[in-house]
Amino acid sequence: MTLDGELAKRMYSDMWRIRLFEEEANRQTGLGNVVGTLHLYCGEEAVGVGICAHLRDDDYILGTHRSHGHCLAKGALMDDMMAELFGKETGTCSGKGGSMHVADLSKNILGANGIVAGGIGPATGTAMATKIRGTHQVSVCFFGDGAAARGPFHEGILMGSLWKLPVVYVCENNGYQQWVRRENVAVVDSVATMAASYGIPGVSVDGQNIVEVYEAAEEAIDRARRGEGPTLIEARTYRYFGHSLGDREEYRTREEVDEWRNNRDPINIFRGYMSERQWLTEREDEEIQAAAKEDVAAAVKFADESAYPPLEAAHTDVLDTEWRVDA
Ligand SMILES: Cc1ncc(C[n+]2csc(CCOP(=O)(O)OP(=O)(O)O)c2C)c(N)n1
Ligand SMILES: [Mg+2]
């Protein structure tokens, strides 16, 4: 799909919607309205949006503990997501999953995941199911650079490659695994090079440049849909906030964060690209930001006015304990 002005505006708007949703979620956490912790995606928006721009509604995504951006980019409703963060019954998972477990089966969003690399096996399995059914649906699995050090990464990609499954593995390499710098725990710099072990293409892109992400995603998703097997995309990116709430960020300098925020911000980079092509006027830019702001405010109102799940709901959607004891 050629990237034209209209599509670019939609993608630019999606990036703003994610950015503002998360900044507001962070603020709401400070006010005590969000249940549990938060892992913010701010700074990484170009990856989720650039990849999901190519997905059909019936394609699948699986995420990580840092998945608000993936879910919004795939079409989850902001109202439902904010309600989920608030633990309300109108949330995507009836308020029982929270930030780290947002899922929306109606959008084929099979779930964020608190287990590092936890989505890679299910994404590979989903791709196998769609291959057997012959539906030409593609499964995309997002994961961090930390996941590339875990067994499911190697096992999943091996199977995906062996059986030529329609899956795209997207590593968001933000240079950190919690409070640890990647170079202190990895022996190869680029995750993309690891694709060679499994005989699939490995591509490394600048994750702050949505056009680069978009182009790499197009090739990988088309290849998967044609039945030629997986691709491993590594998007080099950066998270602006700490790993999760309460992170004192003693492992990095303020200057490093400012350098990325000021000079490598994905929204600013895309705005520049669009302006150069006269795809975005100042007025349109203002309108896009104002609309995103309104959507976020409406989502907070919706979440705020929704009810908490009733006490009895604690026993639904969970494994039956009697069954578990007897099994
Ligand atoms: C199997 C497992 N081990 C450890 C953890 C604790 N943990 C949570 S996030 C994280 C680091 C993840 O780093 P990365 O995959 O690079 O993702 P990022 O947070 O940078 O997006 C760890 C070790 C976990 N959730 N699951
Ligand atoms: Mg990381």
Side-chain angles (χ1 to χ4, degrees):
M1 204 182 345
T2 317
L3 181 57
D4 59 18
E6 279 317 298
L7 177 57
K9 270 199 269 279
R10 280 205 301 279
M11 289 163 59
Y12 181 73
S13 157
D14 280 351
M15 288 165 84
W16 267 114
R17 284 167 51 80
I18 295 169
R19 175 75 53 94
L20 297 181
F21 175 89
E22 289 221 304
E23 287 178 352
E24 184 59 25
N26 195 33
R27 205 177 73 84
Q28 291 295 328
T29 304
L31 297 175
N33 291 331
V34 170
V35 186
T37 192
L38 278 188
H39 299 79
L40 297 171
Y41 193 61
C42 285
E44 306 189 10
E45 295 89 347
V47 189
V49 174
I51 301 276
C52 289
H54 292 287
L55 295 182
R56 302 191 321 210
D57 287 347
D58 66 346
D59 287 332
Y60 293 96
I61 64 163
L62 287 101
T64 66
H65 49 286
R66 199 178 300 290
S67 262
H68 301 158
H70 309 139
C71 297
L72 287 170
K74 183 66 169 62
L77 298 180
M78 215 184 245
D79 286 6
D80 301 359
M81 277 188 54
M82 193 63 88
E84 187 60 37
L85 267 54
F86 276 44
K88 299 294 183 79
E89 67 178 354
T90 51
T92 47
C93 301
S94 311
K96 296 180 184 181
S99 162
M100 248 191 296
H101 307 103
V102 172
D104 184 346
L105 302 189
S106 72
K107 302 279 194 283
N108 283 2
I109 298 168
L110 297 190
N113 201 315
I115 301 168
V116 171
I120 299 179
T124 307
T126 305
M128 187 170 184
T130 60
K131 181 170 176 159
I132 291 168
R133 291 182 187 139
T135 52
H136 301 283
Q137 289 159 284
V138 171
S139 299
V140 171
C141 185
F142 294 97
F143 52 89
D145 46 300
R150 293 212 57 236
F153 169 89
H154 302 280
E155 296 162 22
I157 298 184
L158 172 64
M159 286 182 178
S161 172
L162 193 63
W163 295 328
K164 284 198 169 13
L165 300 180
V167 52
V168 179
Y169 300 105
V170 180
C171 178
E172 300 178 313
N173 183 355
N174 58 15
Y176 289 95
Q177 305 167 18
Q178 276 183 319
W179 314 286
V180 180
R181 273 183 189 276
R182 175 165 170 77
E183 62 252 36
N184 294 340
V185 287
V187 284
V188 291
D189 174 50
S190 168
V191 174
T193 57
M194 297 163 87
S197 309
Y198 304 106
I200 62 168
V203 196
S204 191
V205 296
D206 177 358
Q208 307 311 91
N209 181 340
I210 196 166
V211 181
E212 268 195 38
V213 176
Y214 181 84
E215 285 170 357
E218 178 158 39
E219 209 173 318
I221 291 167
D222 285 356
R223 177 181 143 86
R225 222 183 284 290
R226 285 195 306 269
E228 292 170 21
T231 300
L232 172 60
I233 297 177
E234 171 190 39
R236 300 276 190 154
T237 185
Y238 197 78
R239 62 167 159 75
Y240 290 169
F241 287 88
H243 170 71
S244 59
L245 294 185
D247 180 355
R248 292 164 66 185
E249 299 184 60
E250 286 166 341
Y251 50 84
R252 64 180 184 180
T253 61
R254 192 71 250 164
E255 291 73 38
E256 181 184 293
V257 181
D258 288 346
E259 160 64 18
W260 283 81
R261 272 191 184 265
N262 298 334
N263 301 323
R264 306 194 57 185
D265 180 69
I267 295 182
N268 286 343
I269 291 172
F270 198 32
R271 180 194 293 115
Y273 179 91
M274 291 170 74
S275 303
E276 265 171 33
R277 282 157 188 76
Q278 284 158 7
W279 285 355
L280 184 75
T281 63
E282 253 176 57
R283 171 118 187 242
E284 286 169 329
D285 191 5
E286 280 165 17
E287 283 169 359
I288 285 171
Q289 291 186 47
K293 226 176 188 168
E294 260 178 46
D295 287 350
V296 173
V300 170
K301 186 167 186 290
F302 175 79
D304 203 33
E305 290 173 354
S306 295
Y308 286 107
L311 198 56
E312 311 82 76
H315 297 285
T316 55
D317 307 323
V318 290
L319 204 60
D320 187 302
T321 44
E322 278 177 40
W323 176 85
R324 197 156 31 127
V325 169
D326 295 343

